[in-house]
Amino acid sequence: MRVFLLFSPSNLLIVTKSLSLSQISLQYLSGGSYYHTCGGTLIRTRWVMTAAHCVDTSRTWRVVLGDHDIYNQEGREQYMSVSAVYIHPNWNSNSVASG
């Protein structure tokens, strides 16, 4: 099962042909800091696809593009807040193996 994340409309996402910008780090806010939890793929401007089990709890999320080392800022990262999470209506967190 996949989920789509929608960036805030105020964020301008610059999409290039670089493959590294299509891979994202999904991060959640806890105690004033963000932590990596899952990966995902930029499937079109302002839309990311990731696994539903990554976002089946309510949290403050952000997406980081262009991040090759999650422990060091390299200057190429783009940070986007998430304004909406869309989980497939058939997602069942009690049956992760089913899809």
Side-chain angles (χ1 to χ4, degrees):
M1 228 23 94
R2 300 293 183 200
V3 61
F4 295 96
L5 306 174
L6 176 64
F7 302 138
S8 298
S10 62
N11 287 334
L12 174 62
L13 181 62
I14 301 170
V15 180
T16 69
K17 293 183 180 180
S18 170
L19 180 60
S20 64
L21 286 182
S22 66
Q23 300 168 355
I24 65 96
S25 168
L26 177 64
Q27 300 179 354
Y28 66 92
L29 181 63
S30 178
S33 297
Y34 280 93
Y35 298 93
H36 172 84
T37 187
C38 283
T41 302
L42 180 67
I43 58 171
R44 67 182 297 173
T45 302
R46 297 179 5 154
W47 286 90
V48 166
M49 185 168 59
T50 190
H53 74 269
C54 296
V55 292
D56 63 359
T57 58
S58 181
R59 297 183 182 252
T60 299
W61 303 100
R62 79 174 179 185
V63 169
V64 184
L65 293 95
D67 196 3
H68 296 281
D69 181 348
I70 63 173
Y71 301 106
N72 295 301
Q73 284 200 353
E74 302 162 297
R76 295 181 295 250
E77 300 88 352
Q78 294 182 43
Y79 299 90
M80 303 288 157
S81 60
V82 174
S83 60
V85 175
Y86 300 96
I87 297 178
H88 193 283
N90 292 337
W91 164 244
N92 180 354
S93 62
N94 295 317
S95 183
V96 176
S98 297

